[in-house]
Amino acid sequence: MKTIRFHLLALVIFFSLSFVDEDPGCRRWSGLWKPAWEDFKGRPPADKNYDAYTFYQVSFSYKIENGTLRVEIKTCFDFDDSWVKEGKATPQLLLHEQKHFDISEIQARKLRQHALRWNGQDDFGKYLNKGNDSIAEICNLMQDTYDYETENSKNAAAQAQWNKKTDSLLRVYKKFESPFLKLSYKAAK
């Protein structure tokens, strides 16, 4: 039975500053762009008791190409499913919603870190899915705690603390900012 030995080739291929995504209804997270109220194009549901909602997607894909495992883990803001209630679009609430999007990027960075820890022993797809489930659960709890503690932006002191916390976590995971990872492997002889 052949064994496969995996080697980490590089963490970062490149940092994409592209503002054009495959899906025109979705914009990738970037330190250079924050959602503005005009980006919240969705219709607010009548049964929701909060004033705005940021819908985001953390997704991943991978492929093996010429002996290289190429991985992309991205965070996107969804224009059509993000919404704000009429008369509720304040600067404070917008910052609150922007931080939700930042928390989603923290989730993606943790998943990128997890992907780079793969030792080649398990099926990569299963490994990444398992890590994604665990990280998403933790980050969903973080999103809920954020809303609870800040009272959806109404508690200014708590909001200021969370602004610092999310900014700090983005810095902690800065080396996992690029959505593109590249892992190289070679079959042992």
Side-chain angles (χ1 to χ4, degrees), residues 8-14 112-113 116 175-176 178 180-182:
L8 177 61
L9 180 61
L11 168 61
V12 177
I13 295 174
F14 64 93
R112 292 176 197 129
Q113 179 184 43
L116 289 166
K175 66 182 174 180
F176 306 105
S178 174
F180 304 100
L181 308 173
K182 184 176 174 182

Side-chain angles (χ1 to χ4, degrees), residues 149 156-166:
E149 289 182 0
Q159 183 66 54
Q161 288 178 328
W162 272 93
N163 294 346
K164 289 178 184 174
K165 180 178 183 170
T166 55

Side-chain angles (χ1 to χ4, degrees), residues 92-110:
Q92 296 81 11
L93 183 57
L94 179 60
L95 177 61
H96 178 84
E97 294 304 313
Q98 290 168 340
K99 291 301 174 185
H100 274 296
F101 192 39
D102 286 348
I103 293 170
S104 73
E105 173 61 12
I106 293 164
Q107 175 182 341
R109 290 180 186 191
K110 287 181 175 187

Side-chain angles (χ1 to χ4, degrees), residues 112-152:
R112 292 176 197 129
Q113 179 184 43
H114 175 76
L116 289 166
R117 290 181 176 156
W118 181 57
N119 63 14
Q121 299 300 310
D122 301 320
D123 174 85
F124 183 74
K126 289 179 184 177
Y127 173 82
L128 201 56
N129 275 313
K130 185 177 179 183
N132 185 54
D133 290 347
S134 175
I135 293 165
E137 185 177 332
I138 291 165
C139 287
N140 287 339
L141 179 60
M142 185 177 179
Q143 296 276 14
D144 292 343
T145 302
Y146 171 58
D147 276 337
Y148 177 77
E149 289 182 0
T150 64
E151 299 171 40
N152 294 305

